[in-house]
Amino acid sequence: MVAAMLAGICVGIALLAWLLRSSAGRAPLRLEGGELSRLRSLSDKLHREEVQPFE
């Protein structure tokens, strides 16, 4: 039981490392001006809801 859990954890870590290594060579996502402002306003709205959820 413990050996199977450790094997699963090791496989998960190996997959995560492989995904991070394969995505490291790619360029970061580029956002257009309108998309960036929309994401900022959504982030601000979510932050306000987290800080003051019952207003």
Side-chain angles (χ1 to χ4, degrees):
M1 178 81 179
V2 174
M5 286 176 34
L6 287 175
I9 290 171
C10 289
V11 168
I13 291 172
L15 284 173
L16 182 62
W18 178 74
L19 286 172
L20 288 174
R21 176 178 264 184
S22 67
S23 66
R26 297 183 188 158
L29 293 175
R30 296 186 186 262
L31 297 174
E32 298 295 325
E35 293 177 57
L36 186 58
S37 64
R38 188 167 25 113
L39 283 175
R40 279 188 184 144
S41 65
L42 178 61
S43 173
D44 291 342
K45 180 181 176 186
L46 290 173
H47 179 71
R48 284 192 305 269
E49 289 177 0
E50 287 177 3
V51 173
Q52 302 168 350
F54 297 112
E55 285 190 4

